[in-house]
Amino acid sequence: MLMWVGAVLVGLNIGSTAAATCPCVTESWTYNGNSYSYCNNPNGAKTAWCPTALNSDGTYTSNLPFTYCEGEVLTACDALKDANRPACPCVAGGEWKYGGQSQMYCADPSGSGFQWCATETDSAGNYQSGKYAKCTADILESCEALEDAEPDSICPCVAGGQWTFDGKPQSYCQKPNGIGRARWCPTES
């Protein structure tokens, strides 16, 4: 099968058993002001795609070559993306406070217009001014994976499971106001 890739006609051996490689650019790329890596679908195309070349400033524009990410190519790119995903830079455990309110991993408690997290806190868990990391798409994925891996607590709640926190009704295990690493509840009234 012949296929145009950019300005080059490429022959593809459909019956090939060779392992697929990821043709995407390996660095993060920007499209319409948003940052991506490897395969994504930022414009609602028929399937995920990735650029195979970028402008010198790291942006992708439609005059540059790209490839669709399907089948073995998608599998190869996802594996490469997972292997090269940046570590979550948030404080260990992801729990921190801003303005007295508890936060977990990436959030926007300051109304800055982007998600970020504390990279250092004081002994009480409060954010230290200037010690933060912006949660780009890649970092957000890494931090969300860590947050999802947090263990669920075994919840021996008060009889009936109904309780209040700061005057707000709660049911069984919760993380009221984002407090706690995992869901919790009081065990006595």
Side-chain angles (χ1 to χ4, degrees):
M1 172 183 195
L2 295 176
M3 176 179 181
W4 283 100
V5 177
V8 178
L9 186 62
V10 177
L12 298 175
N13 181 357
I14 300 299
S16 174
T17 58
T21 58
C22 181
C24 303
V25 295
T26 55
E27 63 270 19
S28 290
W29 49 280
T30 302
Y31 180 76
N32 287 339
N34 295 310
S35 180
Y36 303 95
S37 66
Y38 298 96
C39 298
N40 275 280
N41 193 356
N43 62 346
K46 68 176 185 169
T47 189
W49 57 274
C50 67
T52 56
L54 298 174
N55 294 308
S56 60
D57 63 356
T59 60
Y60 173 78
T61 50
S62 62
N63 63 319
L64 295 171
F66 74 96
T67 188
Y68 286 110
C69 298
E70 298 175 310
E72 290 179 357
V73 169
L74 179 60
T75 301
C77 292
D78 283 350
L80 193 57
K81 183 177 183 176
D82 287 344
N84 293 320
R85 182 175 286 141
C88 178
C90 304
V91 293
E95 190 172 357
W96 52 283
K97 295 177 189 170
Y98 181 86
Q101 297 292 312
S102 291
Q103 310 295 325
M104 286 295 288
Y105 293 97
C106 297
D108 184 14
S110 61
S112 60
F114 61 89
Q115 291 194 347
W116 58 277
C117 66
T119 56
E120 289 183 32
T121 58
D122 63 18
S123 60
N126 295 303
Y127 158 73
Q128 297 292 288
S129 183
K131 305 292 184 180
Y132 73 95
K134 187 174 180 181
C135 294
T136 61
D138 289 349
I139 289 174
L140 189 58
E141 280 184 44
S142 296
C143 295
E144 285 173 347
L146 286 176
E147 188 170 10
D148 290 346
E150 292 286 334
D152 290 332
S153 63
I154 298 171
C155 200
C157 300
V158 293
Q162 305 303 306
W163 51 285
T164 59
F165 185 84
D166 283 347
K168 296 178 184 171
Q170 307 290 325
S171 294
Y172 297 95
C173 296
Q174 299 290 325
K175 280 176 62 175
N177 297 336
I179 295 173
R181 291 187 181 181
R183 295 172 181 256
W184 60 275
C185 65
T187 56
E188 297 178 8
S189 354

